[in-house]
Amino acid sequence: QKKPSNKKAQKASNKQPSTMEQDLDKKEGAYTMRTRLREETEAPFRKVRLFIFGASAVSASLGAFISFSRLLAGLSHVPTAAPLSESLGNLAVNAGVIALAAFLISRDLQAGERRLLRMSRGARLAKLGV
């Protein structure tokens, strides 16, 4: 007698990964796209935070440039210049915002890199045979 073949089991064992799965497993730099997407699901607002911090740094840089030029005008005794104490205070606030934004961007990028490293290590461990 002939045994019935299990076609589904044969198909499952011979199944090739789809194009989308292959694209997810391609490396972009040190990490696969799949790992990067998993990291993004853990920190979904990271890109928004980086944008806000970057925009704040750019805005404060522009403000610092204007404050610095007003400070130079005050030091040059231009009659219509703003008071030196006001210009100096504005310059200090803008410099503080630039420093804070740079610190926050750096910290957020480091945290993202640590998450990617942890996930990549976990993915390598998951691929090991038992």
Side-chain angles (χ1 to χ4, degrees):
Q1 283 187 358
K2 199 175 189 186
K3 288 185 180 179
S5 64
N6 190 350
K7 290 183 182 181
K8 286 184 181 180
Q10 287 176 351
K11 283 184 181 180
S13 65
N14 294 335
K15 187 176 180 183
Q16 296 292 326
S18 69
T19 306
M20 187 167 59
E21 288 174 348
Q22 289 173 349
D23 287 345
L24 288 176
D25 290 331
K26 283 184 183 174
K27 290 222 177 218
E28 281 186 16
Y31 305 105
T32 63
M33 178 63 82
R34 184 182 309 269
T35 304
R36 290 184 183 278
L37 289 172
R38 285 180 53 218
E39 188 271 335
E40 192 170 339
T41 59
E42 273 195 20
F45 298 109
R46 186 172 90 97
K47 289 189 181 359
V48 174
R49 283 193 309 267
L50 288 174
F51 175 79
I52 290 171
F53 298 155
S56 297
V58 168
S59 174
S61 296
L62 181 61
F65 174 73
I66 292 170
S67 295
F68 185 71
S69 64
R70 291 176 71 186
L71 182 66
L72 287 178
L75 289 173
S76 300
H77 303 292
V78 175
T80 58
L84 287 178
S85 61
E86 180 183 327
S87 297
L88 196 57
N90 288 341
L91 184 62
V93 167
N94 286 319
V97 170
I98 292 168
L100 179 65
F103 170 74
L104 292 173
I105 288 170
S106 171
R107 193 174 119 205
D108 209 343
L109 289 174
Q110 288 173 356
E113 186 65 28
R114 282 192 306 269
R115 268 192 304 275
L116 281 169
L117 184 62
R118 179 179 49 82
M119 289 179 172
S120 176
R121 195 176 315 135
R124 283 194 313 268
L125 285 173
K127 286 181 182 179
L128 292 176
V130 179

